[in-house]
Amino acid sequence: MNLSALIDEIAAQADDFLDGFTGRADARAGIQELLTAQHNSLTETERKHVTDGVMSILEDEGFFDATPGAAETDADSSAGED
């Protein structure tokens, strides 16, 4: 199995399957749960590699930095400053 492709695939789906998860620990647990359910043939080392890879992508993309509605609040407050 191509683990890099799996990492990219899971990271691309993160918005959907991690909806409602709060924080990094919950996200990590969600990824591990997904791997157990859908890719149970992976070894423990492979699961850790994939989980770490997905978490790294999510960190790089700022997945954990944004708070719901933050972009809307910024846009609303700057609209009144013109």
Side-chain angles (χ1 to χ4, degrees):
M1 175 173 279
N2 183 343
L3 296 182
S4 294
L6 181 58
I7 290 168
D8 291 341
E9 176 186 326
I10 292 171
Q13 299 171 4
D15 287 336
D16 294 330
F17 81 88
L18 292 179
D19 186 38
F21 283 69
T22 58
R24 289 164 178 83
D26 287 341
R28 182 173 288 279
I31 294 164
Q32 291 170 346
E33 184 177 312
L34 177 82
L35 290 173
T36 299
Q38 295 183 3
H39 303 281
N40 61 358
S41 64
L42 295 175
T43 67
E44 184 64 33
T45 301
E46 290 170 329
R47 280 195 301 271
K48 182 178 182 337
H49 177 76
V50 172
T51 301
D52 290 347
V54 173
M55 289 297 291
S56 178
I57 290 172
L58 297 180
E59 291 282 352
D60 290 347
E61 291 179 348
F63 186 86
F64 302 106
D65 297 339
T67 53
E72 295 167 9
T73 303
D74 290 346
D76 291 343
S77 63
S78 64
E81 294 176 11
D82 289 340

